[in-house]
Amino acid sequence: MSPEERQEALERHGLTEGPDGFDITLRGLQKALKRALTLRGEGNEEAARMLALSPEDPLRWEYCRCLQIEAFSAEAYRSGI
């Protein structure tokens, strides 16, 4: 994966990269919440607990950030990085 492809993948997953690691964008949060709803529908208890938290709860944001990092990492792995 070239640097340009990597940046496109980050944007696609709603992530930015800073000095402290990955941050989630609003688009990434929306995508992660959709994924969490799917996971909850499949019986995932962690997703259900996270979705029950207040939208302002930092733990909910962190869970969503981790979902998007996981999706980005899977794409990077498939591309052969």
Side-chain angles (χ1 to χ4, degrees), residues 50-81:
M50 292 302 117
L51 289 169
L53 296 173
S54 164
E56 294 84 24
D57 191 309
L59 189 57
R60 184 175 177 162
W61 282 75
E62 181 63 14
Y63 176 75
C64 288
R65 186 180 76 90
C66 290
L67 282 179
Q68 291 310 101
I69 291 171
E70 184 178 283
F72 168 74
S73 297
E75 181 178 337
Y77 178 78
R78 284 190 307 273
S79 74
I81 286 184

Side-chain angles (χ1 to χ4, degrees), residues 3-57:
E4 293 81 17
E5 292 170 324
R6 185 176 191 279
Q7 185 59 40
E8 289 172 6
L10 283 170
E11 291 173 10
R12 199 171 28 260
H13 293 289
L15 295 168
T16 59
E17 193 170 15
D20 296 328
F22 294 110
D23 292 316
I24 192 166
T25 65
L26 181 57
R27 180 173 180 228
L29 178 68
Q30 292 168 337
K31 291 179 83 159
L33 288 171
K34 285 181 185 178
R35 175 71 178 136
L37 287 169
T38 300
L39 291 171
R40 183 181 68 183
E42 295 171 355
N44 185 298
E45 292 180 17
E46 182 180 32
R49 284 192 306 273
M50 292 302 117
L51 289 169
L53 296 173
S54 164
E56 294 84 24
D57 191 309

